[in-house]
Amino acid sequence: MPQDLASCHTAIINGYAIEGHVPANDIKRLIKEKPDIAGIAVPGMPLGTPGMEAGERKESFAVLAFSRNGESNIFKDYQSY
Ligand SMILES: [Cu+2]
């Protein structure tokens, strides 16, 4: 787990690390597509992510895919609305 992607909790699903408040649809897509990555993460605790609902308040956030060598790129971008 790259340190800068750390959030409050980590899960391991089908060999992938799932870090932080990752939406269920992204986990389903990960399991279905089986990309060659170590896992996906939502750094921090953005408002509006699953488990962090705050009424109408939502922050933009991105789900990042990361590899074992510490590289990361955007898996899915969520804009606030
Ligand atoms: Cu959290």
Side-chain angles (χ1 to χ4, degrees), residues 1-56:
M1 173 63 50
Q3 201 65 49
D4 56 334
L5 300 186
S7 183
C8 50
H9 29 68
T10 306
I12 305 290
I13 298 175
N14 284 18
Y16 288 110
I18 312 292
E19 173 75 7
H21 296 254
V22 177
N25 280 341
D26 295 313
I27 299 174
K28 288 180 189 159
R29 180 184 147 204
L30 178 74
I31 291 167
K32 198 168 159 214
E33 295 182 0
K34 299 183 183 68
D36 184 22
I37 57 174
I40 55 177
V42 173
M45 309 248 314
L47 293 180
T49 55
M52 289 296 291
E53 292 87 356
E56 297 298 300

